[in-house]
Amino acid sequence: MSGKVVKVAGPLVVAEGLADANVSDVVRVGPQKLIGEILNMTGDHADIQVYEETGGLGPGAEVVTTGMPLSVELGPGMLEGIYDGIQRPLTEIRDLTGHSIATGVDVPALNRKKKWDFTPTVKKGAKVQGGDIIGTVPETPTVLHKIMVPPRMRGTIVKINSGSFTVTDTVAVLKTDAGDEVELSMMQHWPVRVGRPYEKKYLPLAPLQSGQRIVDTMFPIAKGGTAAIPGPFGSGKTVMQHALAKWSDVDIVIYIGCGERGNEMTDVLNEFPELVDPHTGYPLMKRTVLIANTSDMPVAAREASIYTGITIAEYFRDMGYAVAVIADSTSRWAEALREMSGRLEEMPGEEGYPAYLASRIAQFYERAGVVECLGSDERQGSLTAIGAVSPPGGDLSEPVSQATMRIVKVFWGLDSSLAYARHFPAINWLNSYSLYLDSLKPWYEERFPGFMANRDKAMAILQEEANLNEIVRLVGADSLAPTEQLTLATAKMIREDFLQQNSFVDIDSYSETERQFMLLGLVLDFDRQAREAIAVGADLGKLNAIPAKEQIGRAKSVPAEHYKEVYTRIGKEMKAQIEAAKQGGDDE
């Protein structure tokens, strides 16, 4: 059915004559057939959010409804893909229209011509239900794409093929319990605003190992957890997210550039194909889907990009994979919500954002989790959601930051003063937190006994340093007792030798969990042994001057294959050197 445009206000178009249309239906607007989505219905008037530039569109233009909600195509061919916010493949569009995206261009998300090798995993006559795996496709060298029965379907396989097929070819025929025969292809459609179903959700109990020391040791996130990275301009949000995308021990990464500057997405597009995945040895793009929605693209498409990304992530989660969704940044998405809300003349909330801002943010993050996937075989998948927040001027009291902090369980607060001091990652250890510490403690203690005790001790030293710095500012460091001066020295070692990490140096960009445990253990051993030496009269100056202390400072640059013996040797030498300083204290 079709209607007519009666009003155009930027990305908002109002049309009449659409009485039979539904909210969330996709429509085609005007002679260029611009893609839009119905936001509200009032009688036969529809408020439409258009995902393309509406310049030149005017009243009287035809609006045709597709009768379908905004959906994504799910199937082989998504990995290594670069999409915009509504899953249009940017590489194919560039080949068609050049470097500028022409309005109204309609290219399917999945390549209809490419053939994929399908290997069936069930036989004719098998009873199947929604989520069951009926075959596999080696999509990339690192990811086996599992072809599943669409959710809410069950029946008997009456025919199944083997060989090379396109995503639209029939690979199996399912006879439903009602007696209908349904042809199954390798492609599914799913509405982006509806979460994909699962059997059961579990408490996340294993950490997402990112190789970033301040994350894995101080403020860990669980696989299937939620985290936010808020910070002002220039504090390292994007570099931090790139590091998480590169090094996290997940099977699939969905990176959403939601309204950030084009040069940041360019960095991702240039770097990821060249980066070697440390877990597989293949290029990182072999397990990555990029959604590139830069600042110069229409505001409305930013709003859709978040949902597009997390729906693709849920699809891979349903195969039993661990997936990470990295959104950069949810503030730009919230600004798109604010603009559309203003054009709809809705009652504004705080700072002009819509009153439903917090619930929309919650709807995004609640789709994360560890789940038991649909299907007769028992398999678990996890979806970890990590969102950057860009508060104006770094003001964390603004609505997007506050709404996000109420929902996520890990908060990595970036600090501009640390960034200006060239301390990266610039995560402030005094106002960041992780609510997963208790649930992850058994995992850490089973593999590295004493890990959490070391972490708590290091955090206590950093807290004490913050308190002592207030006294130092007033009366100077020399007025402190030797043990308090030692606290300041140890805290400096924790900050500079452990927490500080260089993403652009190969050896230091990734630090495995065992290495983190041993390195922090060296720093805390120095603190403990030095305190014992001070108690028997050793001189703090001599303790600070021992060669082993300088070696700890250089320990993070030791190659990965040698760190165990080097750290063990430093520990032995440090003990002997502190013992010698202690003897000197006894002699005096």
Side-chain angles (χ1 to χ4, degrees):
M1 63 174 294
S2 64
K4 294 276 188 268
V5 171
V6 294
K7 175 185 171 185
V8 179
L12 176 70
V13 170
V14 180
E16 64 180 6
L18 296 172
D20 292 341
N22 298 308
V23 172
S24 296
D25 277 2
V26 172
V27 295
R28 292 288 186 167
V29 181
Q32 293 175 305
K33 295 193 169 14
L34 307 180
I35 300 171
E37 181 185 11
I38 296 177
L39 296 180
N40 293 321
M41 291 292 301
T42 309
D44 71 338
H45 279 60
D47 295 324
I48 300 164
Q49 178 171 251
V50 179
Y51 293 122
E52 299 183 73
E53 183 57 53
T54 56
L57 189 68
E62 187 181 37
V63 177
V64 180
T65 177
T66 62
M68 298 283 291
L70 182 66
S71 303
V72 287
E73 293 181 356
L74 304 167
M78 289 190 296
L79 292 175
E80 300 185 77
I82 305 162
Y83 297 106
D84 72 355
I86 48 177
Q87 212 203 5
R88 293 183 301 180
L90 294 178
T91 311
E92 282 82 346
I93 290 174
R94 182 195 61 195
D95 295 341
L96 275 177
T97 68
H99 292 296
S100 296
I101 299 177
T103 51
V105 65
D106 187 16
V107 180
L110 298 181
N111 190 321
R112 298 293 195 265
K113 295 178 182 174
K114 184 169 182 178
K115 293 201 169 188
W116 301 92
D117 293 330
F118 175 80
T119 305
T121 55
V122 295
K123 291 187 169 65
K124 181 180 174 181
K127 295 270 188 189
V128 294
Q129 63 187 56
D132 276 353
I133 296 165
I134 59 169
T136 58
V137 172
E139 184 171 354
T140 70
T142 61
V143 177
L144 187 68
H145 195 110
K146 299 168 185 176
I147 307 301
M148 298 173 287
V149 177
R152 308 190 189 103
M153 252 188 209
R154 66 169 58 236
T156 307
I157 297 289
V158 293
K159 182 183 179 184
I160 190 156
N161 302 317
S162 176
S164 294
F165 304 97
T166 66
V167 290
T168 53
D169 290 341
T170 300
V171 294
V173 178
L174 177 74
K175 188 170 187 178
T176 65
D177 293 346
D180 302 322
E181 289 199 353
V182 181
E183 293 183 346
L184 300 180
S185 69
M186 291 189 280
M187 180 173 70
Q188 294 185 20
H189 288 84
W190 193 265
V192 297
R193 298 181 192 278
V194 179
R196 284 177 66 87
Y198 50 82
E199 289 286 351
K200 187 179 176 184
K201 200 170 241 186
Y202 296 100
L203 184 71
L205 297 174
L208 183 82
Q209 297 173 73
S210 66
Q212 310 307 301
R213 289 187 287 269
I214 191 164
V215 170
D216 294 352
T217 299
M218 297 300 189
F219 310 109
I221 178 175
K223 271 187 186 172
T226 55
I229 313 178
F233 174 79
S235 58
K237 291 186 297 297
T238 302
V239 173
M240 188 68 202
Q241 289 199 304
H242 287 194
L244 291 168
K246 291 172 195 173
W247 305 115
S248 295
D249 63 332
V250 292
D251 302 307
I252 311 283
V253 174
I254 314 293
Y255 190 98
I256 309 168
C258 174
E260 282 302 307
R261 291 173 301 285
N263 61 322
E264 294 184 355
M265 280 311 298
T266 304
D267 287 345
V268 176
L269 297 176
N270 287 337
E271 281 182 25
F272 278 34
E274 295 176 8
L275 281 170
V276 175
D277 183 350
H279 305 293
T280 63
Y282 286 96
L284 200 64
M285 279 299 289
K286 298 289 182 189
R287 62 178 179 99
T288 304
V289 180
L290 296 179
I291 296 174
N293 224 52
T294 53
S295 302
D296 62 341
M297 295 179 79
V299 133
R302 294 185 208 170
E303 201 264 334
S305 61
I306 290 277
Y307 297 104
T308 298
I310 202 149
T311 306
I312 293 171
E314 286 177 331
Y315 175 68
F316 284 110
R317 176 208 69 191
D318 291 346
M319 296 181 197
Y321 289 127
V323 188
V325 171
I326 295 175
D328 187 12
S329 100
T330 54
S331 293
R332 304 281 100 76
W333 169 59
E335 285 165 11
L337 282 178
R338 178 167 62 182
E339 175 162 342
M340 291 309 299
S341 177
R343 292 186 184 279
L344 288 166
E345 300 175 8
E346 295 172 338
M347 183 68 75
E350 192 180 353
E351 291 190 22
Y353 286 102
Y356 48 78
L357 172 70
S359 66
R360 288 287 177 88
I361 292 174
Q363 283 169 11
F364 168 68
Y365 283 110
E366 76 177 2
R367 289 170 75 168
V370 179
V371 303
E372 184 179 319
C373 307
L374 289 180
S376 49
D377 63 323
E378 290 187 9
R379 61 182 188 275
Q380 280 191 14
S382 68
L383 198 168
T384 309
I386 301 167
V389 184
S390 312
D395 175 19
L396 295 181
S397 65
E398 59 89 40
V400 182
S401 301
Q402 288 298 308
T404 304
M405 286 167 71
R406 285 199 294 271
I407 295 153
V408 300
K409 291 196 169 183
V410 178
F411 182 81
W412 298 313
L414 294 168
D415 192 322
S416 55
S417 61
L418 286 173
Y420 294 146
R422 295 290 180 266
H423 177 106
F424 291 105
I427 294 174
N428 188 320
W429 47 87
L430 298 176
N431 63 16
S432 300
Y433 60 81
S434 170
L435 301 181
Y436 291 115
L437 289 170
D438 289 341
S439 58
L440 296 179
K441 188 173 182 178
W443 187 95
Y444 280 109
E445 290 301 324
E446 182 186 329
R447 290 157 181 79
F448 313 107
F451 187 99
M452 280 298 177
N454 281 2
R455 182 256 173 211
D456 294 343
K457 174 70 175 168
M459 280 302 297
I461 290 170
L462 291 170
Q463 291 278 1
E464 196 177 341
E465 180 201 30
N467 298 332
L468 290 172
N469 279 338
E470 297 294 323
I471 301 169
V472 170
R473 287 192 192 98
L474 291 172
V475 294
D478 293 340
S479 62
L480 297 177
T483 52
E484 291 174 331
Q485 291 183 36
L486 176 62
T487 298
L488 293 179
T490 306
K492 186 179 180 185
M493 290 173 72
I494 294 170
R495 287 189 285 106
E496 296 181 0
D497 302 341
F498 183 75
L499 297 183
Q500 209 167 343
Q501 194 166 351
N502 193 332
S503 286
F504 301 103
V505 173
D506 287 346
I507 294 171
D508 199 30
S509 60
Y510 177 83
S511 183
E512 60 190 82
T513 309
E514 185 178 5
R515 180 170 185 159
Q516 297 179 33
F517 176 56
M518 291 182 71
L519 181 57
L520 185 58
L522 280 177
V523 175
L524 296 178
D525 282 348
F526 169 80
D527 181 77
R528 179 179 51 79
Q529 292 173 30
R531 280 182 200 282
E532 292 170 359
I534 288 170
V536 297
D539 178 58
L540 179 61
K542 288 182 179 176
L543 292 169
N544 278 329
I546 63 171
K549 187 174 180 236
E550 186 182 340
Q551 289 177 321
I552 292 173
R554 296 177 179 176
K556 57 188 178 185
S557 60
V558 174
E561 59 271 19
H562 301 306
Y563 77 85
K564 288 184 182 177
E565 62 256 36
V566 172
Y567 288 10
T568 306
R569 191 192 74 233
I570 292 173
K572 289 177 181 173
E573 290 175 0
M574 178 175 67
K575 187 173 183 181
Q577 290 162 13
I578 291 176
E579 199 62 42
K582 193 193 292 186
Q583 295 299 327
D586 291 341
D587 295 343
E588 290 170 16

